[in-house]
Each structure stands twice: as C-alpha cells, then as structure tokens.
Amino acid sequence: MEKTIDISGKKVPLKSTGATVLRYKQQFGKDYFSELMKMTKAIEPMKKNKKNTNLADSDLSLLDFEVLYNFVWVLAKTANPSIPEPLEWLDGFDSFPIVEIMPEIEDLLAASIQTKKK
C-alpha cells in the first residue's frame, strides 16, 4: 500500500510492503508488531469515541512518540530508500505534527497486519 502525505509543507511518499516489518527491526532493533500493539492500546480509547477523535482521549502514558516517529520514517524509507537516517530526515522538517500525521498513516500500519484472505 502506498500514499503521499503532507508533512510541514513537503509531500512525503509512504509505503508499506512485506519488507517494512524487517526494515523496522533492522533499523530500530525492536519488533514492529509489538510496538504497533502497544501504540494501539494507547490510541484505542479515542477510536471508540467517534464524535471526538483526538489524541487527548488516549492514554498518553502508553504512547511513545519516538515509536510514532519511527513508524513514519520506516514507511518513508520503504517508499524512498535514499532518505537519510531518522534524525537527519526529521531535521529536514520545520515541524513534524505527529497528531495530524497519525490518521494519515493508520491505513498503512493496518495494511502491515491485515490479511487479504476471506
């Protein structure tokens, strides 16, 4: 799955493939799925309240923003192998509004764990 999002006025292509999970482990030394499950536990309460879907409704003590930045980087790296290491890449943005970016990447993260089997 692939899409392009706007981050701080820059168009950033993102992509999720079968290699995304391994690329995450290789770069960050952590299991992609366990990190994703921890993040899901933090965000799930806001999903249940469809009227008010903002990050303030989640348990922020469970949310590690570094993981969110890592997920965006690995999706960008999968789409464009020439991007630099995470810190250098993040320095290329004036701001990185993770709260605005999260809804944009949810489908890409979900695609990495969903099955196409019916």
Side-chain angles (χ1 to χ4, degrees):
M1 176 173 228
E2 205 168 348
K3 74 187 302 185
T4 300
I5 66 170
D6 185 283
I7 302 175
S8 190
K10 294 182 180 182
K11 298 292 182 195
V12 178
L14 304 175
K15 187 176 184 180
S16 178
T17 69
T20 304
V21 173
L22 296 176
R23 185 172 287 111
Y24 188 91
K25 175 81 170 189
Q26 183 180 38
Q27 179 67 34
F28 302 109
K30 297 180 181 177
D31 182 69
Y32 179 93
F33 294 114
S34 65
E35 296 293 294
L36 186 58
M37 291 305 131
K38 283 190 261 182
M39 187 181 69
T40 302
K41 285 180 185 176
I43 294 174
E44 197 59 37
M46 89 174 168
K47 291 291 185 195
K48 290 179 181 175
N49 182 1
K50 297 287 185 193
K51 294 177 189 165
N52 186 15
T53 57
N54 67 51
L55 212 49
D57 295 330
S58 62
D59 183 352
L60 294 179
S61 69
L62 297 173
L63 195 57
D64 182 347
F65 282 91
E66 180 182 358
V67 173
L68 299 176
Y69 290 114
N70 292 349
F71 279 134
V72 178
W73 180 87
V74 80
L75 293 169
K77 185 71 168 181
T78 302
N80 178 3
S82 69
I83 70 167
E85 292 297 301
L87 287 177
E88 186 181 343
W89 183 71
L90 288 166
D91 275 342
F93 299 95
D94 291 332
S95 66
F96 205 86
I98 199 69
V99 173
E100 294 172 18
I101 294 167
M102 276 308 299
E104 297 286 330
I105 67 166
E106 284 178 348
D107 54 344
L108 290 166
L109 295 174
S112 67
I113 60 172
Q114 290 177 341
T115 180
K116 301 220 186 254
K117 191 175 181 180
K118 292 184 180 183

